[in-house]
């Protein structure tokens, strides 16, 4: 990769991930989507042996630090991630870090909800959308929901079918939680149905760089119940139901409060969450940096 880049003699390279050739010396910018691997070093999100995980994590930490130091500009998806970078690497890099907000996928704008799913999800349901990595904290959501003893309401967990979803599915089956369902949507039309027909989106994540599902839920007019963390406060303000993601009791309490609330809060989608606006700002950054 290093040799290919050097042969191209690029005026400006954009590395859209933390991994890049550390010996690359031509001008570049970088995107740091989040710092979850750095801040939540648990080893639970890896299938590698412990010593390999430690080695990989050390390499990751070194590469990320080099990237922050050498990049001409750094893009983050939120101000929250920018602040994390400043706290870890120092305010000396503040001048070159810029938050560029993402938006709703363009496929959502032209999609029509798949109403055929109504026969599969006929009862009221809470919805989770996303991956099932350990920092997503979905296992604690499952625990909190199961302890509510509300057999009249379902919990739908929508995300990719992989190793981590498989582990969670075994827990659900082992505890015979018949009102919790795993679903692997394959089209925007499926997700659109789930958002628009759910009671609320629930996001129990311990760490996020952005949180696209909460933006998509806001676009659909769906209430949001989520972790009380900086990034969600930045995106939603006070227009969501916040809980302590580290406490099962807090999640359960807020879910029950939501069900009893007669005047449901609904998130307001700010105009700054737009891919069109993001592209305009990105081009300005390129012209300024090149």
């Amino acid at each position: 990769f290093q040799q290919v880049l050097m042969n191209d003699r690029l005026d400006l390279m954009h590395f859209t991930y933390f991994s890049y050739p550390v010996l690359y010396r031509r001008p570049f910018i970088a995107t740091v989507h989040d710092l979850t691997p750095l801040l939540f070093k648990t080893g639970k999100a890896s299938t590698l042996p412990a010593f390999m995980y430690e080695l990989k994590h050390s390499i990751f930490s070194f590469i990320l630090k080099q990237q922050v130091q050498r990049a001409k500009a750094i893009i983050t998806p939120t101000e929250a991630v920018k602040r994390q970078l400043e706290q870890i690497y120092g305010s000396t890099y503040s001048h070159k870090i810029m938050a560029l907000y993402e938006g709703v996928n363009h496929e959502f704008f032209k999609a029509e909800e798949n109403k055929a799913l109504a026969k599969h999800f006929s009862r009221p349901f809470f919805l989770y959308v996303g991956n099932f990595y350990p920092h997503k904290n979905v296992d604690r959501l499952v625990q909190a929901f199961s302890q509510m003893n509300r057999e009249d309401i379902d919990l739908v967990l929508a995300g990719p079918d992989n190793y981590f979803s498989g582990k969670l599915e075994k827990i659900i089956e082992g505890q015979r939680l018949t009102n919790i369902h795993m679903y692997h949507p394959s089209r925007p039309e499926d997700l659109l149905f789930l958002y628009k027909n759910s009671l609320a989106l629930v996001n129990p994540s311990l760490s996020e760089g952005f949180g696209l599902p909460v933006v998509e839920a806001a676009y659909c007019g769906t209430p949001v119940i989520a972790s009380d963390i900086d990034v969600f406060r930045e995106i939603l303000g006070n227009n969501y139901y916040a809980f302590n993601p580290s406490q099962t009791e807090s999640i359960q309490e807020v879910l029950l409060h939501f069900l009893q609330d007669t005047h449901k809060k609904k998130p307001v989608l700010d105009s700054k969450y737009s891919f069109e606006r993001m592209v305009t700002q990105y081009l300005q950054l390129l012209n300024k940096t090149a």
Side-chain angles (χ1 to χ4, degrees), residues 102-112 188-189 192 212 215-216 219 273-276 279:
E102 300 172 17
V104 176
N105 191 316
H106 74 280
E107 292 180 336
F108 260 61
F109 293 116
K110 61 182 181 181
E112 294 184 7
E189 289 81 1
L192 203 57
L212 188 57
V215 174
E216 292 174 341
Y219 169 73
Y273 299 113
S274 159
F275 277 120
E276 184 176 2
V279 169

Side-chain angles (χ1 to χ4, degrees), residues 159-183:
D161 184 8
N162 56 26
Y163 169 78
F164 295 101
S165 64
K167 285 184 65 177
L168 188 60
E169 198 158 10
K170 288 180 181 178
I171 294 174
I172 294 169
E173 291 174 354
Q175 297 182 18
R176 299 181 180 179
L177 304 175
T178 56
N179 60 338
I180 300 180
H181 311 282
M182 301 286 291
Y183 182 69

Side-chain angles (χ1 to χ4, degrees), residues 72-108:
K72 296 193 64 153
I74 299 168
I75 297 171
T76 63
T78 53
E79 294 289 341
V81 177
K82 177 180 178 179
R83 287 192 296 271
Q84 288 176 334
L85 284 172
E86 292 169 341
Q87 291 167 1
I88 294 172
Y89 300 107
S91 58
T92 182
Y93 301 110
S94 298
H95 69 283
K96 65 178 184 179
I97 306 174
M98 181 179 184
L100 295 184
Y101 293 110
E102 300 172 17
V104 176
N105 191 316
H106 74 280
E107 292 180 336
F108 260 61

Side-chain angles (χ1 to χ4, degrees), residues 206-274:
L206 298 170
S207 174
E208 289 290 340
F210 182 64
L212 188 57
V214 303
V215 174
E216 292 174 341
Y219 169 73
C220 295
T222 304
V224 174
I225 307 169
S227 303
D228 188 4
I229 55 178
D230 286 348
V231 65
F232 291 155
R233 286 291 183 193
E234 181 178 340
I235 294 173
L236 300 172
N238 293 318
N239 296 314
Y240 80 107
Y241 297 81
F243 54 71
N244 183 339
S246 299
Q247 297 180 0
T248 304
E249 296 79 7
S250 178
I251 300 173
Q252 182 180 343
E253 180 182 325
V254 174
L255 289 175
L256 291 171
H257 168 69
F258 171 84
L259 292 173
Q260 297 165 0
D261 191 359
T262 55
H263 300 286
K264 301 276 194 291
K265 292 181 185 178
K266 287 196 175 182
V268 179
L269 188 60
D270 194 288
S271 60
K272 65 186 176 183
Y273 299 113
S274 159

